[in-house]
Amino acid sequence: MNARYAVRWAAEHGLPRLGFLALRGMGDPFARLMSGDEGYDDPYSLIDQLRGDGGVRVTRAGYAVFEYELCREILRDRRFGVRLPIDPSVPFPLRRYAERVVLPPNPIEPPSMFAQDPPEHGRMRKPVASAFTPRAVARLGDRVREVTAELLDAMAAHESVDLMADFAAQVPIAVIAEIMGFPAADRPLFLRWGSHVAPLLDVGISWQAHRRAMAATGAMRDYLAAHIEKLRREPGDDIFSLLVSTGDLNTTELLASANVLMGAGFETTMNLLGNAVPLLLSHSDQLDLLRAEPERWPLAIEEMLRFDTSVQMTARRVLEPVEFDGGVPLVPGKSLVVSLAGANRDPVKFPDPHRFDVTRTNAKEHLSFGTGMHGCIGASLTRLEILQALPALFERFPDIRLDGEPTRRRLSTLRGYSHMPVRLKSL
């Protein structure tokens, strides 16, 4: 099985990785952006270079767009799909063999809705969406407040903590456990598996990272399969039990949907919480305004999403010939990178886009959650969690500050931190 995974890695990541490394060495900004070894630290200056005068940019990996209106249009256009091809430059025999290798269930593989075009997308999304209706999310509000208070109480016993491990990751994983019916004791398993699976969203990851991801997805598959069988025998009152009991999805589809629920409800929240803290600490005037006028927090959270989005990019497949305003003709079968971070820093849409401003009136128009039929299914839950957790953190620890340099995750698609030492109290 490892040999088959190695073939899949070579086709999807190994050869593109070599290409990116070669281009990066020549200073190519797109290769630098896509390589988690460099673009993770400051992607926005690279995005400004790539945006240039606008329009579709031709890259080694296909096409890329960085303008707000063009990104929004493509995300809502059914001439683009989400089932991505293996790079056509990969030798045909390798590509054909790799396409037949089935990976363990994960958020970027069919039958996950993230990798399905209509009509299958709608069939998969509809039952999962029940976890994120306004009523379902509102019912989770009390649990979010309880978890936040428990975590803050535990942190208060220490002068310094790792904000990512002790707070930013713990809030969403507790809520996901509530949705999925997992025992609290199993949360560390999913935190570890999630950190290993996250690199699959990038292109050109190392064989070591891919091997860890495959081991994690395999372990998650086994755990979730046993959990699904248990819920069939003994359903609980959690949302996932309801999804299992309806019979709308088979076991394979339930496994894929569980991955979606965990991804949609965890990564964005964890990364946004982590990104927000140093952002606010480095803009003390904005933090002071929020403390003086706490009713501004909802709009401030939208500005945080715009300014430093957790999900930097997504991708689409060209399904039919497309040309925008006499620009580059897009060839069917090729991939197109949609830069959500680029859209959110487009000066045409957001004047002075590199300025963090919690009073920005159109901040909520960001594309951090995407748009259209593939818009983030967990957006309302993320907003609820952040609105509860972030103000409570700064209220409980008014003297909070960084206690060393935070460590960025070396990823291109998901932007966040792996470690963030903070001091909670003044000396």
Side-chain angles (χ1 to χ4, degrees):
M1 185 65 73
N2 283 341
R4 295 174 64 218
Y5 289 169
V7 171
R8 182 76 180 262
W9 167 81
E12 289 189 329
H13 296 282
L15 293 178
R17 181 179 177 84
L18 290 174
F20 282 138
L21 288 174
L23 290 171
R24 192 183 74 183
M26 295 185 286
D28 181 273
F30 186 75
R32 292 169 61 198
L33 180 69
M34 296 295 287
S35 63
D37 294 333
E38 187 171 350
Y40 73 94
D41 193 33
D42 179 22
Y44 299 108
S45 59
L46 295 172
I47 286 170
D48 283 345
Q49 293 180 51
L50 289 162
R51 182 186 293 110
D53 295 328
V56 177
R57 187 178 183 95
V58 180
T59 76
R60 182 197 175 280
Y63 309 108
V65 292
F66 300 89
E67 294 172 283
Y68 179 91
E69 290 298 339
L70 194 51
C71 288
R72 186 177 184 278
E73 183 175 355
I74 288 168
L75 292 175
R76 301 176 71 87
D77 193 327
R78 294 206 174 195
R79 293 175 295 178
F80 299 90
V82 294
R83 297 195 68 166
L84 301 178
I86 294 176
D87 191 329
S89 65
V90 172
F92 180 74
L94 176 59
R95 191 166 72 246
R96 283 294 301 273
Y97 182 86
E99 287 170 346
R100 293 197 292 270
V101 175
V102 178
L103 300 181
N106 66 75
I108 64 167
E109 291 286 317
S112 165
M113 71 177 72
F114 292 162
Q116 293 279 37
D117 295 323
E120 280 301 295
H121 170 264
R123 187 180 72 82
M124 292 292 296
R125 184 178 175 110
K126 185 176 180 180
V128 177
S130 64
F132 298 108
T133 62
R135 180 176 296 179
V137 169
R139 284 200 299 267
L140 291 168
D142 288 343
R143 183 60 183 143
V144 174
R145 283 187 286 274
E146 290 172 5
V147 168
T148 300
E150 291 168 3
L151 292 171
L152 295 176
D153 286 344
M155 290 163 58
H158 306 276
E159 288 188 355
S160 297
V161 299
D162 181 343
L163 192 78
M164 299 309 299
D166 296 326
F167 189 70
Q170 296 300 330
V171 173
I173 199 63
V175 176
I176 288 300
E178 189 85 8
I179 290 172
M180 302 294 296
F182 298 146
D186 290 345
R187 293 179 199 166
L189 290 174
F190 287 93
L191 289 173
R192 184 171 68 252
W193 291 335
S195 69
H196 290 163
V197 172
L200 288 178
L201 295 173
D202 283 2
V203 177
I205 65 175
S206 70
W207 165 239
Q208 290 80 6
H210 191 266
R211 185 172 57 185
R212 285 193 298 269
M214 291 301 96
T217 52
M220 285 177 64
R221 173 198 57 206
D222 295 343
Y223 180 104
L224 290 169
H227 185 61
I228 288 168
E229 289 308 309
K230 178 179 180 294
L231 294 182
R232 283 179 172 144
R233 296 189 308 269
E234 306 168 16
D237 57 2
D238 54 90
I239 292 170
F240 194 59
S241 286
L242 179 61
L243 192 61
V244 171
S245 65
T246 62
D248 292 336
L249 303 175
N250 61 36
T251 299
T252 300
E253 292 168 338
L254 284 168
L255 288 169
S257 298
N259 277 280
V260 168
L261 282 166
M262 291 185 289
F266 177 69
E267 278 288 350
T268 301
T269 305
M270 177 186 70
N271 290 324
L272 178 58
L273 271 173
N275 292 345
V277 171
L279 180 60
L280 288 168
L281 291 176
S282 63
H283 293 81
S284 57
D285 58 327
Q286 303 291 290
L287 181 56
D288 289 344
L289 179 59
L290 292 173
R291 283 171 165 156
E293 302 176 28
E295 67 275 9
R296 293 185 179 274
W297 272 106
L299 183 60
I301 288 166
E302 302 300 333
E303 174 68 351
M304 294 171 207
L305 278 159
R306 181 202 72 83
F307 189 82
D308 202 15
T309 179
S310 303
V311 182
Q312 291 276 295
M313 65 188 79
T314 186
R316 294 292 185 265
R317 180 179 187 168
V318 183
L319 299 180
E320 58 184 84
V322 182
E323 186 171 338
F324 293 103
D325 296 330
V328 177
L330 306 185
V331 178
K334 288 202 170 186
S335 297
L336 183 147
V337 171
V338 180
S339 175
L340 305 178
N344 290 349
R345 296 283 189 106
D346 184 345
V348 174
K349 179 66 178 179
F350 301 104
D352 197 5
H354 301 307
R355 178 172 58 88
F356 177 60
D357 179 7
V358 299
T359 68
R360 189 182 296 272
T361 56
N362 69 339
K364 197 172 184 178
E365 296 177 46
H366 61 76
L367 293 182
S368 297
F369 292 124
T371 185
M373 74 173 74
H374 291 285
C376 179
I377 201 168
S380 58
L381 179 58
T382 292
R383 286 186 168 106
L384 171 70
E385 291 176 287
I386 300 298
L387 188 55
Q388 294 292 335
L390 198 58
L393 174 70
F394 282 99
E395 181 178 351
R396 183 66 178 271
F397 303 112
D399 297 322
I400 187 173
R401 66 183 187 278
L402 295 179
D403 193 25
E405 190 67 26
T407 304
R408 281 277 183 196
R409 301 168 79 182
R410 290 180 172 269
L411 301 174
S412 303
T413 302
L414 296 175
R415 181 164 168 81
Y417 294 92
S418 56
H419 301 287
M420 185 180 297
V422 296
R423 181 168 290 277
L424 301 175
K425 305 169 185 175
S426 297
L427 292 175

